[in-house]
Structure formats: C-alpha cells, structure tokens
C-alpha cells in the first residue's frame, strides 16, 4: 500500500488531539494542536514517521485575534512529505519550551524568532542577540512596532536636496496621460 | 671598486625593469586569456610607484620594519652572486667570490626574515601563509637540490661562472647534456616562482595574500619590487645553469623570457594545489626522476 | 601608454611651480593605480564581479582588487548598510592607508533608498564616513560603476579626493554621529585612538 498524506494525518489524529487539519497540496499538510501536544507530535513525527529534518520555524503575528502562530515545518526524506505543526501562543509574555532536543537546528530558528517577536524559548542554549546588536525596546517584527516612528527617532533622513522631489506615481501618470494625448492627436 | 658598485646598481636597475616588463606581460597575457583588454604594460610600475607614494603605512615595531628590508636585501645579495653575462666584465656582481652552494643558502634568507616580520604583526592569515610557504619549501627544495647536485657533479665545479663557461655550444647546454636534471629543476622552478599550481602561499581568496596581508604602503611597495627582482634572479640563474648563459643583455632577455613564458603558460593552465598536494606532487614524480638520474650518474662514475 | 591623454597634457601645461608638477605626477600615479576593496554589503555585491571580469574589465583603467584593507586604496560599499555591517565597515575603513577613498553604490547609502523606513539600515552614509563618490541607481549597472571610478579618478587628479583628511580633521563629528546609532556598543577604543591628537578615546 502506498503511503499517502491522508493516512499519515489519520495516524497522527489517532494518537494526539488535533484541533484542525488540512492538506494544502500534494505532500504538504498543516495541523493545529495545543501547546501541550506540540512536543509529543514533533517527537512522534521524528521517531515514528521518520521526519528527518526541521526545515524552519515560522511565526505570524495575528494582532487582531491577539495571538502568535508558530509553525514547525518538518520534512521527511523517505516520503518527501512536509508537515506543518501549528500552535497558537498569546502575544505578550508567551513562552514555548524549546524543541532543540528534537532537532538541533531549531535553536537558530528559535533565536531569530526570539529576537524578532520576543517569544521566549526556555531551554534554548543559545538564546542571545542574532541580527540586531544592542537592541532595546519592542521586537521589530511585531505588528504594533511603528517602524516609521522608530526611523524618525533614531536616524536622520536627508532633508537638503529633496526640495524638487516629486511623487513618482503621480508624475508617471502625468507622463502617460500626456503621451496618450499626443498619440491621439497624431491619430487624428 | 667603483666599477663593481656601478655594476651592482646596474644589475638592480636591469632586474627591476626587466621584471616589471615581464610581469606587465604576465598581466596582459592573463587578461587576453580571459578575453579582456588588460592593463597597460607599465601597470606594475605605476602600482609600485603609487605604493611608495602612499602617505601612511602600518607599523608593528622594529622587526616589522625590518621584514621587507631583509627580504629586499636577501634578494639583492643573491642577485650579486649571480653572474648575468658570460665572457664579459659587465654585470658580474660579486660572483667571483661566491658559488652555487652559497647562493642556495642566500635565496632562503629573505623569506625567513619576512617570516619573522609576519610573526610580529600577528595577523593569522600572514602566519598561515608563512606556514604554507615553509611546508611547500620542503617539497620544492628536494628536487632542486638533486638537480643542482647532478649539475655540480656533471660539471665538476660549484662555481656558477665555470658551469656557464662550460656550455659553449648548443649541444653542451646543460639542458641537453643533463636533460634529467633540467626536467627535475623545472618543477621546482615553477614552484619557486609561485606559479599557479604552487601558489598556496599568497592565495588571495584563502589566506588574503598570505604573508603580505598586513603590509601596506611602502612595505608592500618593497615587497612588490623585490618579488619581480627575485623572479628575475631565478630566471637568470636558470639561464646560467641550464640554457648556456648569455653573452649580452638581449640574449639574456630572450632566454629568460622563454623560461618566463613557460612559467606563464603553466600558471595560466593549471589550478591551484592544496599545500599537502603540492608537497606530495613534488615528492613523487620529480623526486623519482631525480633519484633515478643521480643513481645512473653515480653508476657511470 | 594611452593613459596620458589630452586632458592630462592640458593640465600639465597650466602648472607653474616645480612642486605643483610633483604633486600632479603623484596624483597621476594614484589615479592610474586603484586597489579596490569590494565590500559586498547589499545587492550591489553582484555588480562587482562583472565590473572586474571579462565583460567590463576594470583592470584596463588600473582598477584591481586588493586582498586586505592594508593594501587597498578605495573601499566600494555596494548597497544598504545595516547597523551591524556599518560597524565592520568603519573598522575596515580605519585600517586602510591614506590616501583612501570611499565609493558608495546605489541609492541606499545616499538617502536610505527603498529601505528608508527600515529599523536596521542607516540612511545617510556620509554622516558616518567621508564618501568621495556616490553612484546613484538601484542598483547601478557596471557601466555606472565604472563611471563612478572615472569620477573618482578626476577627483584624485584634481587633488580633491581628501576624504581621509576630512575624517581625520572632523573625527569628533564623525564619532559623535556613529555614537548616535551604536549607543553603548561603540567601536572599541583601540581601533580609532590614533585619530585623536591628545591620545583620548571615545
């Protein structure tokens, strides 16, 4: 019997409490679970279903519904399936135990998410600053971070030499209109 | 005495201008192989003068200052013990007081002095370059010594002038009389010139020009100048030992350019060896040919 | 040598004193031999390989790559500079030997470019380093990069490419500007102490 992703999802569903699942396309499935179930699902995927590697950990900021959605993408070299395990954590003071013990590369992904979203990963051995040096204040990838205001506060934008600056889209439209008019006249 | 001093200055000038000319050709030739136009022929001279015209140069104490000086002094000293021409009073330097064995020692003085300066500067890439250079030297020296020993026993003398004198006709050139010695020496010649298969020492993308990494401004100017001069010394030495010497400067240029062209072709055609590959290579084919030739030589004695 | 062109000869005729001729000659050698340290900070890094290889061949103008900052004359900053990158760039620049020049490629070093509202890239490079030539564009093509080198050469020949001297004279201003963005994590003192005549550091 050939292995399909539906069979896989069914097996996972038998063992864990899955709150939602969908097959996005051939070989790519997403399933939602609670934060308590996360480690169980990931260990099951790695040890039983032979998902060898963790491709990435994604983080999305759903500011309207007030949660972060963390997606752990596991990939199998035997069946070539990708499974996204999604959990929701609260936007403030959220902490998720690290999965570094399952896949070692997780610590770099978690380090980045910690820096950019401020999610804490207790147990991560390398949770220090990554891209940003000496960053204070709100993590920059949170959606309530006002990047324009930050730039105005911290950097000096060039003022001189921009007196004659025009709005590019307006100017472009003007030029196109002029060209059209010209072509119309030629046509007549 | 005045004549000797004048001769020495003339030798320095001649090697500098010839070397710059050859290396200008080297850069243009490489550019043409890449299908580029390439720099003007005198680009190396311009680079060199610009380096001397820089206002600053970093210093790391007295030993660092001495490094390029020792290197240049070693080059000029070994240059003075190489006779440029045969049957001529010109461009002889002090070659009547020295011999081939002395020269072999002198040729290593400069790089060793520079190694001390690099060690003082504390740049890891420089130290890596020096380590690679000394490792490579193990490979290069053995075939070179074998070929020189063959030559000395074949000619029955250790004087460069007398070895040169003995090659009076084309059939008596040492490259014809002792072909095995010549072939073996060519391997270490390419290596000593730092051509491509053996250019691990200053590999730009690996060790960031190696021993030269910390040298800038006038120090780099000195190193660049001594590099072309040292290359010319080696070319002239090989002309003296194997190509029958030269009776005037034009023949010297023709013969040394032939050797230089060989070096250029090899450098353009082959990719770089790793350090241990270079040593391994030198200790395989060239060593076998060399030892075989030595055995044959002593068998026939 | 095709290098001594008509423009150079006309300039040479106008010089009066012998020292002016010497200065002119030194500047001529400086402009004909430019060792470039290409610092690939942004998307412009990809414009440098075609500039120096067969297609555009910068070597015919005397421009060639340098292996280390000590050997380099000009540092080419290709594109936006993150705060973290700028710190490394400043250290590299301070290691170079005078006279030294800076070429900035693209609109990002001029006014932030398309990253004008980014929280982590600087907006005006010339606040932190003395820039000699900026090549506008997003990104400038290799022709434009070569044109930038030509502009730098003209500047060197006129004796106006003295960014290093400017940096040395206005070191307080530059270091203050740098401190604005680096805050407590300023460059270590030993990298720039020699610029201060009283031996003080930042």
């Amino acid at each position: 019997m050939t292995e399909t992703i539906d069979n896989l999802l069914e097996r996972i569903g038998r063992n864990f409490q899955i709150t939602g699942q969908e097959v996005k396309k051939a070989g790519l499935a997403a399933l939602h679970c609670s934060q308590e179930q996360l480690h169980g699902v990931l260990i099951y995927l790695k040890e039983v279903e032979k998902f060898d590697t963790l491709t990435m950990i994604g983080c999305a900021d759903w500011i309207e519904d007030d949660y972060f959605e963390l997606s752990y993408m596991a990939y199998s070299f035997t069946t070539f399936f990708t499974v996204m395990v999604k959990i929701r954590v609260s936007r403030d003071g959220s902490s998720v135990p690290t999965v570094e013990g399952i896949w070692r590369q997780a610590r770099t992904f978690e380090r980045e998410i910690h820096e950019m979203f401020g999610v804490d990963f207790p147990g991560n051995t390398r949770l220090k600053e990554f891209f940003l040096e000496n960053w204070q204040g709100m993590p920059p990838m949170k959606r309530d971070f006002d990047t324009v205001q930050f730039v105005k506060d911290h950097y000096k934008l060039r003022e001189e030499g921009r007196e004659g600056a025009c709005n590019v889209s307006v100017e472009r439209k003007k030029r196109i209109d002029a060209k059209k008019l010209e072509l119309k006249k030629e046509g007549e | 005495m005045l004549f000797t001093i004048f001769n020495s200055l003339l030798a320095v000038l001649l090697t500098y201008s010839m070397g710059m000319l050859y290396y200008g050709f080297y850069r243009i030739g490489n550019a043409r192989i890449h299908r580029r136009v390439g720099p003007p022929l005198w680009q190396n001279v311009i680079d060199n003068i610009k380096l001397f015209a820089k206002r600053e140069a970093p210093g790391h104490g007295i030993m660092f200052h001495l490094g390029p000086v020792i290197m240049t002094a070693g080059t000029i000293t070994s240059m003075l013990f190489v006779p440029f021409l045969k049957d001529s009073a010109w461009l002889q330097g002090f070659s009547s007081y020295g011999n081939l064995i002395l020269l072999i020692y002198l040729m290593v003085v400069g790089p060793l002095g520079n190694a001390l300066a690099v060690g003082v500067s504390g740049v890891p890439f420089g130290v890596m370059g020096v380590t690679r250079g000394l490792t490579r030297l193990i490979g290069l020296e053995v075939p070179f010594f074998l070929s020189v020993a063959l030559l000395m026993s074949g000619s029955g003398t250790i004087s460069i002038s007398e070895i040169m004198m003995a090659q009076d006709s084309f059939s008596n050139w040492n490259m014809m009389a002792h072909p095995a010695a010549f072939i073996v020496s060519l391997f270490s010649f390419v290596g000593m010139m730092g051509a491509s298969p053996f250019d691990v020492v200053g590999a730009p993308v690996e060790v960031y020009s190696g021993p030269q990494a910390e040298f800038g401004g006038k120090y780099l100017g000195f190193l660049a100048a001594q590099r072309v001069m040292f290359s010319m010394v080696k070319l002239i030495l090989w002309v003296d030992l194997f190509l029958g010497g030269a009776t005037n400067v034009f023949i010297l240029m023709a013969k040394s350019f032939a050797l230089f062209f060989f070096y250029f072709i090899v450098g353009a055609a082959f990719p770089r060896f790793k350090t241990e590959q270079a040593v391994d290579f030198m200790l395989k084919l060239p060593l076998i040919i060399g030892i075989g030739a030595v055995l044959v030589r002593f068998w026939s004695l | 040598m095709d290098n001594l062109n008509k423009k150079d000869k006309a300039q040479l005729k106008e010089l009066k004193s012998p020292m002016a001729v010497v200065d002119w000659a030194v500047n001529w050698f400086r402009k004909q031999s430019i060792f470039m340290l290409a610092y690939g900070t942004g998307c412009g890094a990809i414009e440098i390989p075609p500039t120096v290889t067969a297609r555009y061949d910068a070597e015919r103008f005397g421009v060639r790559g340098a292996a280390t900052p000590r050997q380099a004359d000009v540092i080419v900053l290709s594109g936006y500079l993150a705060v973290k990158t700028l710190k490394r760039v400043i250290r590299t620049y301070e290691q170079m030997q005078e006279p030294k020049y800076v070429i900035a490629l693209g609109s990002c070093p001029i006014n932030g470019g398309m990253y004008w509202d980014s929280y982590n890239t600087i907006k005006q490079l010339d606040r932190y380093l003395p820039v000699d030539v900026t090549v506008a564009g997003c990104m400038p093509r290799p022709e434009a990069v070569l044109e930038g080198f030509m502009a730098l050469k003209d500047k060197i020949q006129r004796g106006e490419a003295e960014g290093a001297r400017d940096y040395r004279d206005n070191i307080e201003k530059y270091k203050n500007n740098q401190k604005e963005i680096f805050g407590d994590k300023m460059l270590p003192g030993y990298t720039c102490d020699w610029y201060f005549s009283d031996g003080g550091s930042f």
Side-chain angles (χ1 to χ4, degrees), chain C residues 77-96:
Chain C
L77 300 170
S78 43
Y80 63 82
L81 285 143
V83 174
K84 201 173 176 180
T85 319
L86 180 67
K87 203 180 274 182
R88 275 79 183 160
V89 166
I90 290 171
R91 278 194 80 162
T92 312
Y93 178 75
E94 283 170 356
Q95 283 178 37
M96 284 162 61

Side-chain angles (χ1 to χ4, degrees), chain B residues 67-81 103 105-111 226 230 233:
Chain B
V69 177
I70 295 175
M71 194 100 173
T72 317
T75 299
I76 292 177
T77 319
S78 36
M79 180 197 302
L80 294 182
F81 285 103
L103 190 69
Y105 277 98
L106 279 179
M107 279 166 72
V108 198
V109 167
Q226 78 82 27
F230 202 29
V233 171

Side-chain angles (χ1 to χ4, degrees), chain A residues 5-14 21-23 29 31:
Chain A
I5 199 144
D6 293 317
N7 293 342
L8 175 75
L9 288 180
E10 195 201 323
R11 281 204 301 279
I12 298 173
R14 240 182 282 146
Q21 64 182 44
E22 59 176 313
V23 178
L31 43 91

Side-chain angles (χ1 to χ4, degrees), chain A residues 130 133 147 155-156 158, chain C residues 84 87 110 117 119 124:
Chain A
F130 191 23
E133 280 189 342
T147 173
Y155 301 100
K156 263 213 170 67
R158 193 178 291 277
Chain C
K84 201 173 176 180
K87 203 180 274 182
I110 301 175
D117 61 350
Y119 52 89
Q124 299 180 49

Side-chain angles (χ1 to χ4, degrees), chain B residues 36 47 50 53-54 56 213, chain C residues 30 33 59 68 73 168:
Chain B
R36 290 188 282 129
D47 286 355
K50 181 219 60 179
K54 288 206 75 126
E56 276 186 337
Chain C
R30 279 178 185 154
S33 157
E59 204 182 4
T68 64
D73 299 313
R168 184 185 289 276

Side-chain angles (χ1 to χ4, degrees), chain C residues 73-75 77 86 89-90 93-94 96 98-104 109 124-134 152 155 160-171 173-175 177-178 195:
Chain C
D73 299 313
V74 55
I75 182 167
L77 300 170
L86 180 67
V89 166
I90 290 171
Y93 178 75
E94 283 170 356
M96 284 162 61
E98 278 190 35
K100 51 190 173 184
Y101 323 107
V102 180
I103 292 183
Q124 299 180 49
L125 179 61
D126 52 358
R127 281 172 62 78
Y128 314 107
L129 283 178
V131 181
D132 289 291
V133 174
T134 48
L152 178 67
K155 226 178 157 182
E160 290 167 9
E162 288 294 348
R165 201 164 273 171
D166 177 37
Y167 191 70
R168 184 185 289 276
D169 292 345
N170 302 318
I171 186 70
K173 182 190 97 185
Y174 283 113
K175 285 290 164 191
N177 288 346
Q178 289 167 15
Y195 282 114

Side-chain angles (χ1 to χ4, degrees), chain A residues 17 29 76 95 99 103 106 130 139 152 156 177:
Chain A
Q17 289 178 342
S76 164
S95 95
V99 298
W103 289 288
F130 191 23
K152 278 181 186 157
K156 263 213 170 67
D177 289 348

